[in-house]
Each structure stands twice: as C-alpha cells, then as structure tokens.
Amino acid sequence: MSVVSTGLRTLVHREILRFVRRPRNTFLPPLITNVLYFSVFGVILGARVGSIEGVDYILYILPGLIVLGVIANAFENASFSIFHGRWNEYIHEIQTSPLSYTEMVGAYVSASALRGMIIGVLIALVGAVMIPLTIGTGVGLANPVYAVAFVLVIAVLFAGFGVMGGLWARDFDYLTVLNQFIIRPLVFFGAVFYPLDALPPVWRTVSLVNPMVYMVDGVRYGFLGIASIEPNVSLAVLGGAAAVVVAIDVWLFQRGYGLTE
C-alpha cells in the first residue's frame, strides 16, 4: 500500500513540476490575455454598457473570465501531458508501474485541475487590481463556498476531458482544434459577457443546452451572489458529470485506448 501511495505522490509531483518549471509558458500568457480582456471589454466596452443587474460590467465579466482560464488550462495540461507521453513513448513506464488505473488517472487529473485553479486565482488577482482602478470598488466573494466548489468541480471536469483528448489525439493539431475551436467558443457563448435574460426567449432556451452556461452562472453566483439558474442544481449536475468523466478515463486506461497503438 505504501509503495502505491509513494508512486501516486511521485507522479502528481512530476506533473506539477512539469508546468511550474515553465512559468513563462504557464502563467504569463493568461495574465497578459486577461489584462487585455479587462482593458477592452471591462474598461472600454464597460464604459458604454454601464451595469448589468446592478453590477458594474467589468466586475460582471470577472467570473466568466475565471471559468475560461480554468477550463482552458486544466484541459490543456491533461491533454498535452497524456499526448506528449504517448508521442515520446514514456507513458508506458507509467502503465508498468505499481499504480492502479484509478491512481494513474487521479494523478493526471489532480495536477491538471490544480493548474486550472491556480490560473483561476491569478485571473481573480488581475481583476482585483484592475477593477478598483476602473470603478473604485473592490472584488469580494458573496458566497465563497460556492465559488470554490464550482471552480474545483469545473477544473476536475475539464482535466478529465483533457485526459480523453490526450488519448484520442493523433497529433498536436487535434489538441489545438479541441481547445480553440470547440471549448473556447462554447465558453464565449456561455454568458461570459452578457446575462441570459438579455437574450430573446428562443435563444435563451437554446443557450441552456450549453454546459458552460451553468459553470459561468455558478461561479458568478459565488462572486456576485446573482444567478439565472439554481446554483445547487448546477453544482450537483456538474459534480455528477465530473465523476462520470473521470470514471470513463479510468475505463479507457484499463482498455488501453490510445496507449497501445
């Protein structure tokens, strides 16, 4: 039992070091990107929009930008790590180690979820600096338990999806397509920059099919205390989805999908 625990800790430690040792590639790009988001959408566009549901626009978009950063980085870390291991054929060392399939998946998912959450915190810090400079109001947490719970579940969910993506990908272009042309557009149409109630009834109903809507709305409830969807229902559904995705990851590892080709 101790050997397995040591192996799990070692794999998690390795995966964390993989992105911590490259801060210019891991942390600097999302910082710069979100400074631009806050500058363009929050400051320039926000001056015209004013407020939404009694909240200044630059503050209103903060939860959505956090979700975008968490999702992108959790998915990217897991998918790239799995695929890079397949590409260079060192993932077979993990397969032959005294680790259960659950521990293998758990290590990749936990390290990737941690990266996503770190990026989420960094984006919140960027907002905490820029928002007071713009509107003179600080950033608070109306429901901190919900904020942490939603960010954690979202990070785990997309780290799990990242494992799937890394096993499915045939080259690095597959990972780019998944992240840039599927995940990010869904987030942008997930009520990051606008409230659901601003949409016509038909499009509001269509938007509810997009799972990103529930994620953004849940994190927004944690930060601002406003929600268009019952947060407990959203959290339960997302938590169940995360558990199912991780279970599928374990099953794929057991089957050797993408690992034995």
Side-chain angles (χ1 to χ4, degrees):
M1 186 67 179
S2 60
V3 174
V4 174
S5 299
T6 300
L8 176 60
R9 289 196 303 269
T10 301
L11 182 55
V12 172
H13 185 254
R14 189 198 74 175
E15 288 301 303
I16 292 174
L17 286 180
R18 194 180 63 80
F19 66 81
V20 169
R21 285 176 172 173
R22 304 173 62 192
R24 286 182 296 180
N25 294 335
T26 303
F27 305 121
L28 190 58
L31 286 176
I32 295 174
T33 299
N34 281 276
V35 167
L36 294 175
Y37 278 142
F38 281 115
S39 299
V40 175
F41 290 98
V43 178
I44 299 175
L45 184 60
R48 294 179 176 272
V49 175
S51 63
I52 296 177
E53 300 184 39
V55 178
D56 287 285
Y57 187 68
I58 189 172
L59 183 56
Y60 186 83
I61 66 174
L62 172 62
L65 295 178
I66 291 173
V67 171
L68 176 60
V70 171
I71 285 175
N73 283 271
F75 179 87
E76 178 184 339
N77 193 84
S79 60
F80 180 84
S81 183
I82 293 290
F83 181 74
H84 192 265
R86 292 173 54 214
W87 185 269
N88 290 284
E89 299 183 352
Y90 62 79
I91 199 169
H92 303 306
E93 298 174 6
I94 305 299
Q95 290 180 275
T96 57
S97 66
L99 290 172
S100 67
Y101 294 114
T102 301
E103 287 174 318
M104 293 178 194
V105 171
Y108 285 112
V109 169
S110 59
S112 300
L114 177 62
R115 173 175 169 177
M117 295 182 71
I118 291 174
I119 297 301
V121 171
L122 291 177
I123 295 171
L125 292 176
V126 171
V129 172
M130 295 195 66
I131 290 173
L133 293 176
T134 305
I135 61 175
T137 302
V139 177
L141 287 171
N143 300 287
V145 174
Y146 279 95
V148 174
F150 270 101
V151 170
L152 175 61
V153 169
I154 292 167
V156 171
L157 175 60
F158 277 87
F161 278 130
V163 171
M164 289 184 186
L167 293 173
W168 169 76
R170 295 295 176 265
D171 56 47
F172 288 100
D173 290 337
Y174 279 58
L175 303 182
T176 302
V177 168
L178 287 171
N179 202 346
Q180 300 296 329
F181 297 102
I182 297 178
I183 293 176
R184 284 182 181 268
L186 284 175
V187 176
F188 280 118
F189 284 104
V192 173
F193 300 106
Y194 56 86
L196 280 179
D197 294 335
L199 298 174
V202 174
W203 289 110
R204 187 187 189 283
T205 303
V206 171
S207 295
L208 294 177
V209 179
N210 183 356
M212 308 301 179
V213 168
Y214 302 89
M215 301 177 196
V216 174
D217 197 69
V219 176
R220 185 169 286 139
Y221 178 76
F223 273 85
L224 307 178
I226 57 177
S228 301
I229 304 166
E230 170 57 43
N232 290 320
V233 174
S234 298
L235 188 59
V237 172
L238 292 174
V244 170
V245 168
V246 172
I248 293 174
D249 290 337
V250 174
W251 178 73
L252 291 174
F253 262 72
Q254 290 174 335
R255 292 287 302 273
Y257 176 81
L259 299 171
T260 58
E261 298 177 3

